[in-house]
Amino acid sequence: MEVQKFNVVSLDVAEVLDSYRTFGFIVLEDFLTKEIVSTVNNVIASLHSQEVEKNIAYKYAENADRVWNLVNKHLLFSDLITNAMVSTLMEAIFDRDTSHQKFFLSSFQASMVRPGAKAQALHIDTPVPNPLPPWEIKANTIWLLDDFTDKNGATEVVPGSHRYGRRPVNADLSDHLGLLKVEAPAGSLIVTSGYLWHRAGPNESQVVRRALLGSFASSAFREISSEEDIIRKSFDNTNFKMSEACWKLVGGLHGIKSGIK
Ligand SMILES: O=C(O)CCC(=O)C(=O)O
Ligand SMILES: [Fe+2]
């Protein structure tokens, strides 16, 4: 299969969604201008070097770095992640019979896959056990800040695997059959189903492969594990501090990583 690409300038949303549902991913070219890509790369480089200086930089793996929690680090990322086209696609992906807001941003981070980085394990982005439900829990956006080539660690996907109803087994070579490298120019946006089998490829080139990873999740799951939103309300509670055990129980330690602040 060849990667099917759409151009954002002449986009038919229904056609794009159809392709997303068939293959589990889509590629939109010319999503970001060269100027924006360059600005984003400069901001990320500056954030990362500040974190390195403070000794809080997040090392994802050998030759792979991340800058987490971008929306709390620069206003530029609020503009990017609230993009109208992304919102339209997410509204459709998470559509269901509810009057509530349908999805939330789960994470927005920068990924630097440097020369020598190994391939990620084949995985899905939805952290639930088999069998996978037929309805959407997560969807991801990969914002290309460099050309994704056959050598520099382009994302690899198994087209159609979002419908297999199970997680891939990384040790099972047959689960890697049909793995397709998504080669596309900087400024493109890849949207992936939270059930799509995929990984960052190995970077066997001499150049870094940078991307933003913006992950969205169905609001139903926040409702389930955070009905009272106890953590946020705790900031108004100046009378006492809950016990450490209780803080952990309400999720107070969730999502804390090096460089997250
Ligand atoms: O960077 C990529 O190509 C994919 C990253 C990814 O799949 C992840 O971190 O979950
Ligand atoms: Fe992933």
Side-chain angles (χ1 to χ4, degrees):
M1 183 202 157
E2 290 241 326
V3 175
Q4 200 182 351
K5 291 179 181 154
F6 297 91
N7 195 293
V8 79
V9 180
S10 52
L11 204 63
D12 176 338
V13 174
E15 197 188 336
V16 165
L17 283 167
D18 200 45
S19 188
Y20 175 86
R21 290 188 179 115
T22 305
F23 300 111
F25 73 102
I26 48 158
V27 181
L28 305 184
E29 286 195 346
D30 294 328
F31 193 75
L32 299 175
T33 62
K34 283 194 170 42
E35 291 71 32
I36 292 179
V37 168
S38 160
T39 305
V40 173
N41 275 331
N42 289 337
V43 171
I44 299 291
S46 151
L47 289 172
H48 185 245
S49 58
Q50 285 168 38
E51 293 180 4
V52 168
E53 241 165 66
K54 289 192 211 147
N55 225 3
I56 56 164
Y58 189 88
K59 198 169 158 59
Y60 180 81
E62 200 58 42
N63 298 314
D65 300 304
R66 297 225 171 167
V67 178
W68 298 92
N69 198 5
L70 294 177
V71 290
N72 271 317
K73 292 182 180 168
H74 199 292
L75 206 47
L76 170 66
F77 300 106
S78 298
D79 287 344
L80 290 176
I81 205 66
T82 55
N83 173 280
M85 176 55 64
V86 171
S87 301
T88 300
L89 294 174
M90 293 302 151
E91 278 291 333
I93 290 168
F94 294 110
D95 190 32
R96 60 193 191 279
D97 188 14
T98 179
S99 56
H100 294 155
Q101 185 178 333
K102 295 193 180 86
F103 60 90
F104 295 119
L105 181 66
S106 175
S107 60
F108 195 22
Q109 60 199 260
S111 159
M112 281 84 75
V113 175
R114 303 190 192 282
K118 296 215 165 61
Q120 255 185 331
L122 192 64
H123 67 280
I124 61 172
D125 287 335
T126 310
V128 294
N130 293 330
L132 304 177
W135 27 267
E136 301 285 346
I137 297 178
K138 281 197 109 184
N140 236 314
T141 51
I142 303 174
W143 310 56
L144 279 60
L145 301 176
D146 288 298
D147 293 345
F148 276 24
T149 68
D150 65 337
K151 287 270 181 303
N152 73 352
T155 309
E156 298 172 353
V157 304
V158 180
S161 55
H162 63 306
R163 289 181 165 171
Y164 294 172
R166 69 169 179 93
R167 314 171 65 80
V169 178
N170 187 54
D172 189 341
L173 284 185
S174 65
D175 274 3
H176 293 68
L177 291 176
L179 205 55
L180 180 78
K181 244 181 226 300
V182 184
E183 291 174 46
S188 302
L189 182 82
I190 307 172
V191 183
T192 56
S193 159
Y195 299 130
L196 184 73
W197 299 7
H198 70 283
R199 65 181 192 179
N203 189 338
E204 291 160 341
S205 76
Q206 305 304 315
V207 292
V208 64
R209 191 231 75 176
R210 294 163 294 187
L212 301 179
L213 306 173
S215 175
F216 295 83
S218 165
S219 58
F221 290 82
R222 192 189 202 112
E223 187 62 21
I224 289 168
S225 69
S226 186
E227 188 183 357
E228 289 186 321
D229 206 347
I230 296 165
I231 294 170
R232 191 152 54 95
K233 306 297 185 316
S234 76
F235 299 127
D236 300 333
N237 175 8
T238 49
N239 296 331
F240 64 88
K241 205 167 165 220
M242 72 179 81
S243 73
E244 275 181 33
C246 191
W247 184 242
K248 180 167 181 234
L249 179 66
V250 302
L253 303 183
H254 172 79
I256 306 291
K257 300 173 177 76
S258 179
I260 201 86
K261 291 219 178 88

